[in-house]
Amino acid sequence: MVIFRYSFLWLFLLNVPLVSMAETVSIVPTVFYSYRNFEYSVGGAGGVEGSINSVGLGVTAIYQQFYVDIAGEENPNASEEETNNLLFTNTVDFDRNDVALSLGYAINDSISTFIGYKYGKSTITARPNSPFAGEEISLTGYGAFIGAGGGWSVRNWGFISFSAAYAQLDSTYRDLTVDVVDGNARGTSLSIKWKAPLTENFFYDFSLIRHDYRYKDFEKIDSDISEQILSLRAGLSYRF
């Protein structure tokens, strides 16, 4: 039995000194682009390897040491990927959608903590050159994450930060063989980010994000599923 499993944890780390200095509510909308490379395998027996290009939007509200953030990300066009699994033997179209809500607190000017909830759905569709043309595999993951991060100013050039998070998710998997089954996942995310001003309130940033997840305890499925996702992200934000 061959299945596909994919989940993406979205992680946001705010510029901590801006949080601690805020005396009133600030609103920070953000737009970003991501290049995501992923590897997925089922019990070591093969899976999907490839990359997708995604765009995202978000908005953050900041008050004193607290912030709340919501953001969504998706690839606007299906991405054709190579696959070596037993079900889709040629290429597939891959789509991914994510939404995340997080609440953070700046302990001081260098360290912050956060908690949040995320939802993500992946859909894989067999292309016409596959014997299963038109068949779909979908995976939905949803649950909580918790993490912490730190950051420092680099002279007057900008701000560098890092963060680490742990997530525990419920999930629903569907394909043409097993229909719908439930399971769970646990994993970690690590990120490093560079952020710098273009003007007093207009900023750009670059991020490198790594996700490692293992999925298990599925009904009707014996194998565990593992995935690794490496994302390179570029963003623009404006503080009102």
Side-chain angles (χ1 to χ4, degrees):
M1 182 181 301
V2 180
I3 62 174
F4 177 85
R5 180 79 173 168
Y6 183 91
S7 179
F8 180 78
L9 171 69
W10 182 85
L11 182 64
F12 181 86
L13 179 64
L14 192 67
N15 185 321
V16 179
L18 292 180
V19 176
S20 62
M21 293 171 61
E23 296 297 335
T24 60
V25 175
S26 296
I27 304 297
V28 185
T30 302
V31 59
F32 57 89
Y33 161 84
S34 297
Y35 174 83
R36 298 192 277 183
N37 179 267
F38 61 91
E39 299 179 8
Y40 155 87
S41 64
V42 181
V48 173
E49 299 180 17
S51 59
I52 58 175
N53 298 292
S54 301
V55 293
L57 296 172
V59 62
T60 306
I62 308 165
Y63 177 72
Q64 296 182 358
Q65 285 80 21
F66 298 92
Y67 71 87
V68 60
D69 175 82
I70 186 169
E73 181 177 6
E74 68 175 355
N75 52 306
N77 296 308
S79 176
E80 181 178 327
E81 307 299 347
E82 293 296 328
T83 174
N84 62 350
N85 68 25
L86 300 178
L87 181 60
F88 294 150
T89 57
N90 296 300
T91 59
V92 297
D93 285 335
F94 178 76
D95 285 288
R96 177 68 189 179
N97 300 280
D98 291 277
V99 178
L101 174 68
S102 58
L103 174 65
Y105 175 76
I107 298 173
N108 53 41
D109 284 350
S110 298
I111 300 174
S112 67
T113 60
F114 52 87
I115 59 173
Y117 187 90
K118 61 92 56 183
Y119 169 92
K121 182 177 181 180
S122 296
T123 304
I124 297 177
T125 306
R127 293 181 61 80
N129 56 347
S130 168
F132 296 94
E135 295 290 350
E136 288 187 354
I137 290 175
S138 66
L139 175 78
T140 302
Y142 46 93
F145 59 87
I146 186 171
W152 299 270
S153 295
V154 180
R155 296 188 177 181
N156 294 323
W157 302 335
F159 186 82
I160 189 167
S161 61
F162 72 91
S163 62
Y166 171 81
Q168 184 165 329
L169 307 176
D170 294 322
S171 61
T172 301
Y173 169 83
R174 178 194 296 269
D175 71 13
L176 74 166
T177 303
V178 299
D179 194 22
V180 178
V181 294
D182 296 323
N184 59 66
R186 296 179 181 180
T188 60
S189 295
L190 301 173
S191 73
I192 184 168
K193 180 176 182 177
W194 169 257
K195 186 172 184 176
L198 293 171
T199 65
E200 182 178 358
N201 294 313
F202 191 42
F203 300 86
Y204 75 90
D205 63 79
F206 295 103
S207 303
L208 187 65
I209 307 168
R210 170 77 177 190
H211 304 279
D212 291 277
Y213 281 83
R214 181 169 294 275
Y215 304 88
K216 56 184 181 179
D217 299 331
F218 286 100
E219 304 169 359
K220 307 177 185 179
I221 299 173
D222 296 328
S223 300
D224 291 349
I225 303 140
S226 64
E227 70 173 4
Q228 296 80 40
I229 308 168
L230 184 64
S231 302
L232 180 62
R233 178 180 295 178
L236 293 171
S237 59
Y238 189 87
R239 186 181 63 199
F240 291 95

